[in-house]
């Protein structure tokens, strides 16, 4: 019997980054190319800002959005000023620029440059979402799931998650998996949950990797396969996902998907606890079966694991050898 309780990762928080995706993501390149062109002519970056500001004042929607980004970041000669950024996001949003609508929604959601207003946040997320902006679709789904700015409605949340997930939005894929996992807004369906967790996990979402591992661990929606479970736990754990780190410890403790190994299991459990996982009970179970020498080896291995995770060296798997 496994000695740990399964913990599924929950909803991702609302995306909190203002982005440059004017008229599709290609505008990021266009902005860079325009700035590079100015610099190659010996012009100052401020000139580029002044040019964009002039166009913005003349009503050019794209320039209004770019100026908003400049004021948001404090770049290209513009002082960092959320209130002015919000103004220009608003001007571009009114002209139908979906990324400006998304950025303005973030500002209302956070109370950044404007008074915090969940209803206005939901409105502008909705305007961008209707234009196919997948970040906005995801965030609108979260608003409905949590009842923020709109009445709580899981079915409506699922509708928007699906739209974003079908555009390969990784957090939407994860959250859609969670909805099927828990039966929120849809009938509970572990097979469907596994499908969406897999899509998100393959895009590197650590919470999805952990949850997919749990499905394989328990044979829910997929054939039970402890080795496959360990594979996904490890991918998540190497990104710092604490539940996955604790789950790896349990796999080594129980000899599931891997040979029983108290030293490696204890090391991963140390890492999980240090990262905030409630693992004290599990550590005590390990200690009852380990010698002081084994505990010392595990502690040394835990340091190696910490260093590997902190280095974020994704090219090489974490070396769990302790000999």
């Amino acid at each position: 019997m496994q000695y740990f309780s399964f913990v599924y990762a929950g909803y991702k928080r609302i995306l909190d980054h203002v982005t440059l995706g004017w008229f599709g993501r290609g505008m990021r390149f266009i902005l860079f190319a325009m700035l590079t062109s100015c610099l190659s002519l010996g012009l100052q970056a401020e000139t580029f800002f002044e040019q964009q500001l002039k166009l913005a004042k003349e009503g050019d929607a794209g320039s209004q959005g770019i100026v908003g980004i400049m004021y948001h970041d404090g770049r290209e000669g513009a002082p960092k000023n959320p209130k002015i950024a919000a103004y220009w996001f608003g001007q571009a949003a009114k002209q139908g620029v979906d990324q400006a609508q998304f950025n303005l929604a973030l500002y209302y959601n956070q109370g950044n440059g404007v008074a915090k207003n969940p209803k206005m946040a939901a409105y502008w997320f909705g305007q961008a979402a209707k234009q196919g902006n997948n970040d906005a679709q995801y965030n609108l789904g979260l608003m409905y799931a949590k009842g923020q700015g709109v009445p709580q409605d899981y079915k409506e949340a699922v509708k928007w998650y699906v739209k974003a997930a079908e555009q390969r939005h990784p957090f939407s894929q994860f959250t859609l998996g969670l909805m099927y996992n828990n039966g929120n807004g849809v009938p509970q369906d572990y097979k469907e949950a596994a499908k969406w967790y897999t899509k998100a996990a393959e895009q590197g979402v650590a919470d999805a990797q952990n949850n997919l591992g749990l499905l394989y661990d328990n044979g829910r929606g997929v054939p039970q396969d402890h080795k496959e479970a360990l594979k996904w736990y490890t991918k998540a754990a190497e990104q710092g996902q604490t539940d996955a780190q604790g789950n790896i410890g349990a796999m080594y403790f129980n000899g599931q998907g891997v040979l029983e190994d108290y030293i490696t299991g204890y090391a991963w459990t140390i890492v999980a606890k240090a990262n905030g996982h409630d693992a004290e009970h599990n550590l005590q179970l390990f200690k009852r079966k380990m010698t002081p020498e084994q505990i010392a080896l595990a502690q040394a291995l835990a340091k190696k694991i910490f260093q590997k995770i902190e280095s974020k060296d994704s090219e090489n798997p974490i070396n769990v050898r302790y000999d």
Side-chain angles (χ1 to χ4, degrees):
M1 178 180 294
Q2 293 178 331
Y3 67 97
F4 68 99
S5 22
F6 293 140
V7 179
Y8 285 91
Y11 293 111
K12 282 285 182 184
R13 62 186 172 83
I14 293 224
L15 295 176
D16 59 1
H17 57 283
V18 171
T19 57
L20 283 176
W22 308 104
F23 306 119
R25 305 295 178 178
M27 193 59 205
R28 185 187 302 273
F29 172 76
I30 294 171
L31 177 59
F32 175 77
M34 292 171 69
L35 178 58
T36 302
S37 176
C38 288
L39 294 174
S40 69
L41 293 173
L43 301 177
Q44 297 297 317
E46 288 183 346
T47 303
F48 176 71
F49 165 65
E50 290 171 354
Q51 290 172 346
Q52 292 302 302
L53 182 60
K54 180 180 178 181
L55 290 171
K57 290 178 178 179
E58 292 173 355
D60 183 87
S63 293
Q64 290 170 344
I66 291 171
V67 169
I69 288 288
M70 291 178 178
Y71 277 113
H72 171 78
D73 290 340
R75 65 165 72 172
E76 323 307 349
K80 188 168 185 175
N81 191 317
K83 289 185 178 180
I84 298 178
Y87 169 78
W88 287 114
F89 287 149
Q91 295 302 302
K94 291 172 185 177
Q95 294 201 63
V97 179
D98 68 292
Q99 199 65 34
Q101 293 168 341
F102 171 73
N103 289 344
L104 185 60
L106 288 177
Y107 266 39
Y108 275 114
N109 191 67
Q110 300 162 357
N112 189 20
V114 292
K116 188 171 183 177
N117 189 326
K119 288 185 178 180
M120 289 299 293
Y123 171 78
W124 285 113
F125 280 141
Q127 294 302 302
K130 291 172 185 176
Q131 295 197 67
N133 184 299
N134 61 4
D135 285 337
Q137 291 168 342
Y138 166 68
N139 282 283
L140 184 60
L142 284 179
M143 300 291 274
Y144 275 109
K146 297 180 178 182
Q148 294 180 345
V150 290
Q152 188 175 52
D153 187 334
Y154 288 126
K155 289 184 178 180
E156 190 70 12
V158 168
K159 181 184 87 173
W160 290 107
Y161 291 147
V162 168
K163 289 181 182 294
E166 288 176 345
Q167 296 190 65
R168 301 189 72 252
H169 191 277
F171 294 145
S172 293
Q173 293 171 339
F174 161 68
T175 311
L176 191 55
L178 196 67
M179 300 295 272
Y180 277 106
N181 196 112
N182 297 333
N184 289 332
V186 290
Q188 189 175 54
D189 186 335
Y190 290 121
K191 185 175 181 180
E192 195 69 11
K195 168 186 147 183
W196 288 108
Y197 282 152
T198 300
K199 290 179 182 293
E202 289 174 346
Q203 293 201 67
V205 178
D207 288 341
Q209 292 167 342
N210 176 67
N211 288 8
L212 182 59
L214 285 167
L215 293 184
Y216 276 109
D217 213 349
N218 291 278
R220 291 179 173 176
V222 290
Q224 189 172 48
D225 187 333
H226 294 307
K227 289 185 178 180
E228 190 71 8
L230 182 62
K231 180 187 87 172
W232 289 110
Y233 287 152
T234 302
K235 288 181 180 292
E238 290 178 355
Q239 294 192 69
Q241 216 281 355
T242 58
D243 295 329
Q245 292 166 351
N247 290 342
I248 291 175
M251 299 292 275
Y252 279 102
F253 183 89
N254 295 312
Q256 292 179 321
V258 69
L259 293 176
E260 183 181 278
D261 183 343
Y262 294 150
I263 294 174
T264 301
Y266 188 69
W268 274 108
T269 307
I270 290 173
V271 172
K273 182 184 178 184
N275 287 327
H277 188 74
D278 184 9
E280 183 57 36
H281 173 71
N282 297 351
L283 287 173
Q284 294 305 317
L285 290 176
F286 273 111
K287 285 182 178 180
R288 292 172 193 169
K289 295 178 176 289
M290 297 173 69
T291 66
E293 292 76 14
Q294 289 175 318
I295 290 174
L297 286 171
Q299 290 170 337
L301 177 58
K303 290 181 181 179
K304 290 183 181 179
I305 294 173
F306 271 123
Q307 291 170 354
K308 192 67 175 181
I309 292 173
E310 289 176 357
S311 73
K312 298 181 180 179
D313 182 0
S314 60
E315 295 300 320
N316 301 297
I318 290 178
N319 183 356
V320 296
R321 293 180 60 185
Y322 49 82
D323 54 354

